[in-house]
Each structure stands twice: as C-alpha cells, then as structure tokens.
Amino acid sequence: MKFERDDGPSSTELGWWVFAAALAVVLVTSLDSYLGWFVFGLFLYYVARPIARWLQERGVPSGIATILTLALIILPFIALLAAIAVVAFGQLSAVRAADVERLVRTLFPGFNFGAIPATPEGWYDSVSELLSNPSIRSFVFRIRGFVGAFAAQSYNLFLTFIFVFFLVRDEATITGWFRRTVADEETSTYRYLQAVDQGLNSVFFGYTLTIFVIIILSAVIYNLLNLLAPPKMAIPQTMLVAIATGLATIIPLVGRSIVYFFVVAYLAIVALETDPVRLWFPILFLLVMEIAFDNVVRTYIRPVLSGRLFPTSLIVFAYLLGPPIFGWYGIFLGPFIMVVVVQFLWVVFPTLSWPGSPESDGG
C-alpha cells in the first residue's frame, strides 16, 4: 500500500517523529547493557530459523517447530559451546603441581608447605584465622560477587532464549506487519533490509557456524589422534589448538595451515629429541589435517554453511576487530555492523548518489 504525501510533514507528523525519536533514545539507553545478549540472540535466531522453516514446510506448526528447534538444536548447541569454553579455560589454566609450588615459593618465600593442618581442629582454627584477615574477606566477597554475576547472566541467557523463541515463531507476522505499515516490497527500504537479512544469514548461519563446526570437528580429530600417539607425543591442549584452528579459518588460504605447521613443528622436535622413528606421527597428523580434513572443509562444510556473499577481507576484519573493540560479544556484533554498513553502501548509497537512477524509485 502506498500513500500520497504532501510537500512536507505537518506539525502533527513532526511531533510524532520527535516522540518516536525520544522513545528510541529511551529504549536504546535502557537496553544498552543487554546489547551483547541481543546480538547473541540474533545469532541464535539465524541458526534456528532455517531449521524451524524446514520443519514448518513439512507441516509442523510454527510454535511446535520453534520449540523443537530450540530444545533439540539450540540448547545442545549452547551446552556444547559452554563445554568448549570450560574445557578451554581448564586447559589454559592447567599447570603441573610442581609449577604451582615453584610459583608459590617465588611469590611467597616464607610459605611453609609443611604447615598444613592435619586435624579437624587445626582446620577450624586456620579457617577462623583466615576469615579474620581483611584480604580473605575481600576474596570471599568476590566469590559471592561471582555467584551473583553467574545468576544474573543465567537470567540474561533465559531472556535471550525467550527473545529467540518469539522471533522465530512470529517472523511471518512481523514480516507481514512491516510490509503493510512500514515499507512494501517495491521500496528501497524493504530492499535494503532484505539485503541485510541475507547478509546476516550468510555471516551468522554461515561463517560463524562454520568456525564453531570446525572447532568441534578438529577437537574430536585431535583427541582421536592422541589415542594413536606414541608416549609423550600427544598433541598438547587439544581444545585450545582446536579453537585456534577454527578462528584461523577466517584467514584465507593459509589460516588453518599455520596452526598445523606449529603443531607439526612441535611434534617433530619432540620426536627428534626422543626417537626419530616417531616422526611418523607428525606426518600422519599433517596428512589427516592438511589433506583429508581441509578437503572436507573446502568441499562440503564451507560451501554449505558460508557461501560467498561478502569478500573474505571484510569477514576477516569483522571477526578480528569485533572482540577487541566490543568484548565477548564482538564476535557477533562486529560482523553485524559490517553487514549493515556494506549493504548500505551496496543497496542504498548508489540511490543517494544518483537520485535519478531506476534503483532510487520507492521510499
């Protein structure tokens, strides 16, 4: 539906636009602390949407399709990501007991390792003495703060799931309302938002999901290879290496190969120092990852998930600059901003530069 407009907005319309701008400012200010969870919710929406649509095309009602997608796909996916984060953090912070003892002796020269209480009474006296120390009370307070923060973030995650549920279930209703009241399919506004939607689907469901899939698969392969590894030849910190492999995927051509090179170099040095016959293991690693696994990624995983909608250079900068600028959610917000800006330059900017062009028709 299109409306005839006057030469300029009336005072009533202008007042409503001012009111709308004020509402937008209040909304953005109020929800600023939820920005990261909002962007994460958009990512989950683009992961869940194709699956929910597939179910709906086979006769499953939208509400049930959304519930099945969230329960059977999204929840396990989030649990898997959380498990990856926990394992990676554990491997990152894992050090040998001898290293801990040496570090404690260096930082606290007067610490007596033999002064550990051996009776319940001794433990009680020691704990009472520790709790009377202001620094220990501060530590306990921080632990309480951590518990409170964990509860708050769990609540935020719950809100995110509710947001994703309604977004997936009611997407047809929201799209219909937008076409009827805001912009129909013939307007440049609709074409721009449609291009943004396609771009976010390519980036969120494509590139980001590709990274996570490669992290999971490479972690499985690294641990399977460790089952075949000779003594003292295991791939170290497999989850951290898998995360590096997934993130290196955004670097074109040589990204994962860089990670493979460092792993092979480490394994080869260990083999030469112990038994040169063991060089078969780094060779096996290189054959499995560089030839078999990378061919699967290039032939099946990347084409199916990623597509080629944006230049690789833009994807690289979006993922590399997002987390340092915005924090943990920068891995989602960086690509989001990239899509919004690039699609504006591709779809809207030409109509602004050449108003008389055919593409500039429509509101």
Side-chain angles (χ1 to χ4, degrees):
M1 180 182 296
K2 293 186 177 179
F3 300 93
E4 299 293 335
R5 298 192 59 88
D6 299 327
D7 294 337
S10 64
S11 58
T12 302
E13 291 176 331
L14 183 60
W16 279 117
W17 279 113
V18 172
F19 180 71
L23 287 179
V25 171
V26 172
L27 185 64
V28 171
T29 304
S30 303
L31 301 179
D32 177 67
S33 59
Y34 294 93
L35 176 61
W37 293 101
F38 170 77
V39 180
F40 182 57
L42 281 181
F43 163 71
L44 294 180
Y45 163 72
Y46 280 98
V47 172
R49 187 176 70 174
I51 303 170
R53 286 180 175 178
W54 183 84
L55 292 174
Q56 293 175 27
E57 291 173 356
R58 280 148 183 80
V60 181
S62 60
I64 297 178
T66 303
I67 293 175
L68 291 176
T69 302
L70 294 180
L72 302 180
I73 303 297
I74 301 302
L75 276 176
F77 178 70
I78 294 298
L80 185 59
L81 294 183
I84 290 174
V86 170
V87 173
F89 180 79
Q91 291 187 353
L92 185 64
S93 59
V95 290
R96 295 176 300 176
D99 296 330
V100 174
E101 182 175 342
R102 183 169 62 251
L103 178 62
V104 172
R105 290 189 185 278
T106 303
L107 296 178
F108 308 98
F111 186 84
N112 184 8
F113 284 88
I116 300 178
T119 63
E121 294 79 7
W123 277 107
Y124 177 81
D125 294 338
S126 299
V127 171
S128 300
E129 183 179 355
L130 287 174
L131 292 178
S132 64
N133 190 321
S135 62
I136 299 300
R137 289 201 301 269
S138 175
F139 174 76
V140 173
F141 179 78
R142 291 183 181 181
I143 292 297
R144 293 175 56 189
F146 170 79
V147 174
F150 177 79
Q153 299 308 326
S154 299
Y155 176 72
N156 292 337
L157 184 60
F158 172 76
L159 292 180
T160 302
F161 274 103
I162 297 298
F163 169 70
V164 175
F165 171 79
F166 286 111
L167 206 58
V168 174
R169 191 195 68 175
D170 301 331
E171 64 165 341
T173 303
I174 297 173
T175 303
W177 169 85
F178 185 86
R179 291 174 179 173
R180 293 191 306 270
T181 61
V182 181
D184 58 30
E185 297 180 1
E186 299 179 1
T187 61
S188 58
T189 300
Y190 184 89
R191 289 196 296 270
Y192 168 67
L193 294 179
Q194 188 178 44
V196 170
D197 178 72
Q198 294 174 353
L200 291 178
N201 184 72
S202 173
V203 171
F204 282 162
F205 186 79
Y207 285 94
T208 306
L209 199 59
T210 298
I211 291 175
F212 289 135
V213 168
I214 291 177
I215 289 175
I216 295 169
L217 292 180
S218 58
V220 172
I221 294 175
Y222 293 156
N223 284 282
L224 290 177
L225 286 174
N226 278 348
L227 297 178
L228 304 175
K232 299 182 180 180
M233 285 284 293
I235 302 169
Q237 312 297 350
T238 53
M239 185 55 69
L240 295 179
V241 178
I243 292 175
T245 305
L247 295 178
T249 302
I250 64 176
I251 303 176
L253 300 180
V254 297
R256 292 185 301 276
S257 297
I258 297 174
V259 179
Y260 302 155
F261 170 78
F262 283 105
V263 175
V264 170
Y266 168 80
L267 296 176
I269 291 174
V270 174
L272 292 175
E273 290 178 348
T274 55
D275 185 0
V277 177
R278 296 179 176 179
L279 285 172
W280 67 266
F281 184 65
I283 295 175
L284 174 64
F285 172 87
L286 189 62
L287 293 176
V288 170
M289 301 307 299
E290 191 71 48
I291 297 179
F293 179 69
D294 270 16
N295 278 333
V296 172
V297 171
R298 295 190 187 100
T299 306
Y300 299 102
I301 297 177
R302 184 165 236 167
V304 171
L305 296 181
S306 299
R308 296 291 181 182
L309 187 58
F310 297 100
T312 305
S313 57
L314 294 177
I315 299 295
V316 171
F317 280 107
Y319 279 106
L320 293 183
L321 295 179
I325 295 176
F326 301 107
W328 67 269
Y329 57 88
I331 193 172
F332 309 111
L333 185 57
F336 175 84
I337 295 176
M338 184 273 295
V339 170
V340 171
V341 172
V342 171
Q343 296 291 36
F344 174 82
L345 294 177
W346 286 353
V347 177
V348 179
F349 184 72
T351 67
L352 299 178
S353 302
W354 298 279
S357 62
E359 291 81 2
S360 62
D361 296 336

